[in-house]
Amino acid sequence: MGFEFIKKLPAPDEIRGQYPVPEKLAALKEKRDNEIKKVITGESDKFLVIIGPCSADNEDAVCDYVVKLSEINEKVKDKLILIPRIYTNKPRTTGEGYKGILHQPDPNKKPDLLAGLIAMRKMHIRAIEESGLTAADEMLYPENWRYLSDILSYVAIGARSVEDQQHRLVVSGFDVPAGMKNPTSGDFSIMLNSVFAAQHPHSFIYRGWEVSTPGNPLAHTVLRGSVNKHGRNLPNYHYEDLNSLLEMYAGMELMHPACIIDANHNNSNKQYKQQIRIVKEVMHSRKLSHDIHQLVKGVMVESYLVEGCQKIGEGIYGKSITDPCLGWEDTKRLIYDIAEYE
């Protein structure tokens, strides 16, 4: 009896009804979804760049960032598809710290989950309205998926979630690409088993309903590095790692083998500037091997208006309050460099 039931939250349909996606934006999302899907299936040679803040903590700063991103997108759209990271839930290793705008619309105030549900939906819709770019978010809580399922064009499943049965089953009902990250242990087989589960149909309990899903052929892998039993970070973006993943993909009956490289987290040892070097190495590996070129469909980069990170309450506009990020000038140069490789 350790639960205190504070308030009953509105169902997803209620929130979606109060804050609907305008018809014009729904059509834009459908177009973007199709373009991104074709990259995963191999019908398009464009390269995905999933980029943005570690956590979307401030609506104005996030939307300013995404508008800047849209201006670059116009210049590189013949080669790249830029997908802004608007991550509204922040996983915490110990459970302590800022958990994202869903929990705290104002990081300086107490958690308010109802206000958070509204804030995250309003921010996503505003970002699309102002930039024309639909976004990626992380599905940290499977039961919350339907609050954003009509908005997102890409979903990430984190290293701590990828082994969870409910995450895998809910992804099997998505109609957008879902990147299944390798677990913190780095085990590729666990990641690929997650992709297998997500690509197949299931029946299960979801939000009090018995549901069935058709399977999601767009589920794919994301390499984000790992940590060993001694707490040492181990990267897994190198040429040899990509060849190993290719071999393991070949041994499983999976649709559309595809991989995204997360340039931060354990791959960079959270040294945010290293993301630039890591992305360039990945692009070089794609040049060296046709098979790797076919496998690696994009990269993930953590970036914001101001480089680095700050503590909550410092008040620096557009600077991360969680993990450190690349600043805008480095971000801009990196995107243009990626387009040059392509």
Side-chain angles (χ1 to χ4, degrees):
M1 300 298 293
F3 288 84
E4 178 188 354
F5 288 79
I6 298 166
K7 69 177 80 164
K8 184 170 176 60
L9 296 171
D13 285 347
E14 295 176 65
I15 296 287
R16 287 165 63 149
Q18 292 170 18
Y19 302 94
V21 175
E23 193 173 320
K24 180 179 71 174
L25 299 189
L28 186 153
K29 172 177 150 50
E30 183 177 2
K31 180 174 181 291
R32 286 262 299 173
D33 286 355
N34 287 331
E35 290 173 350
I36 295 166
K37 287 174 186 177
K38 286 179 179 178
V39 175
I40 300 297
T41 61
E43 298 170 72
S44 168
D45 288 330
K46 289 185 180 181
F47 193 72
L48 303 179
V49 180
I50 303 161
I51 189 165
C54 174
S55 62
D57 60 284
N58 178 290
E59 180 181 313
D60 289 338
V62 167
C63 289
D64 282 351
Y65 175 92
V66 175
V67 168
K68 283 177 173 287
L69 206 61
S70 70
E71 293 166 1
I72 298 180
N73 189 67
E74 281 302 306
K75 298 174 183 177
V76 299
K77 63 183 180 182
D78 57 327
K79 295 181 178 180
L80 309 180
I81 298 177
L82 303 187
I83 305 174
R85 283 174 52 108
I86 302 182
Y87 281 29
T88 55
N89 306 281
K90 174 66 181 171
R92 309 304 310 203
T93 304
T94 64
E96 293 295 317
Y98 176 69
K99 297 183 178 69
I101 203 168
L102 170 64
H103 282 259
Q104 287 174 274
D106 184 336
N108 294 295
K109 295 181 180 177
K110 291 182 178 180
D112 185 336
L113 286 149
L114 174 56
L117 288 171
I118 294 167
M120 72 176 185
R121 189 165 175 87
K122 287 175 69 177
M123 177 168 58
H124 271 288
I125 293 172
R126 176 182 166 187
I128 302 170
E129 284 176 331
E130 294 184 0
S131 71
L133 301 180
T134 50
D137 202 344
E138 179 173 352
M139 187 181 73
L140 186 56
Y141 308 107
E143 64 270 26
N144 290 347
W145 158 244
R146 286 188 51 77
Y147 288 107
L148 290 177
S149 59
D150 59 335
I151 291 175
L152 300 177
S153 286
Y154 185 95
V155 179
I157 306 301
R160 301 168 189 83
S161 303
V162 76
E163 298 184 64
D164 177 65
Q165 183 84 334
Q166 189 78 351
H167 280 82
R168 294 174 172 191
L169 300 187
V170 172
V171 170
S172 72
F174 286 9
D175 60 356
V176 295
M180 317 294 281
K181 293 194 175 187
N182 64 261
T184 53
S185 69
D187 191 327
F188 282 13
S189 63
I190 288 172
M191 172 178 62
L192 288 164
N193 286 339
S194 292
V195 173
F196 186 94
Q199 288 191 354
H200 287 77
H202 298 282
S203 297
F204 56 100
I205 297 171
Y206 183 66
R207 295 190 62 89
W209 286 77
E210 178 184 348
V211 300
S212 64
T213 56
N216 179 3
L218 303 172
H220 58 275
T221 58
V222 178
L223 298 183
R224 48 88 75 201
S226 64
V227 60
N228 68 11
K229 65 181 180 180
H230 303 295
R232 181 185 171 198
N233 288 295
L234 302 174
N236 59 12
Y237 59 86
H238 296 307
Y239 187 87
E240 295 78 10
D241 298 305
L242 299 175
N243 274 319
S244 293
L245 181 58
L246 271 168
E247 290 175 11
M248 293 181 75
Y249 252 124
M252 299 184 71
E253 294 182 4
L254 292 170
M255 293 171 274
H256 313 307
C259 178
I260 304 290
I261 307 300
D262 179 345
N264 213 11
H265 298 101
N266 295 125
N267 269 332
S268 69
N269 195 21
K270 292 194 177 179
Q271 302 299 308
Y272 67 95
K273 287 275 194 180
Q274 291 297 313
Q275 294 181 99
I276 298 169
R277 177 190 59 78
I278 291 165
V279 167
K280 290 180 178 180
E281 180 178 326
V282 170
M283 301 308 292
H284 184 62
S285 295
R286 292 179 84 240
K287 275 191 175 296
L288 291 177
S289 165
H290 174 74
D291 289 340
I292 288 176
H293 188 278
Q294 295 295 105
L295 175 72
V296 177
K297 306 292 188 181
V299 290
M300 289 181 175
V301 176
E302 292 195 331
S303 147
Y304 212 175
L305 297 174
V306 179
E307 72 174 15
C309 63
Q310 63 180 322
K311 293 180 180 178
I312 293 173
E314 287 187 38
I316 301 171
Y317 186 79
K319 190 171 187 177
S320 176
I321 61 170
T322 48
D323 291 347
C325 298
L326 286 180
W328 180 250
E329 289 305 315
D330 281 337
T331 297
K332 189 165 58 173
R333 280 193 295 270
L334 180 58
I335 293 171
Y336 288 139
D337 285 346
I338 294 170
E340 283 297 313
Y341 273 98
E342 289 298 295

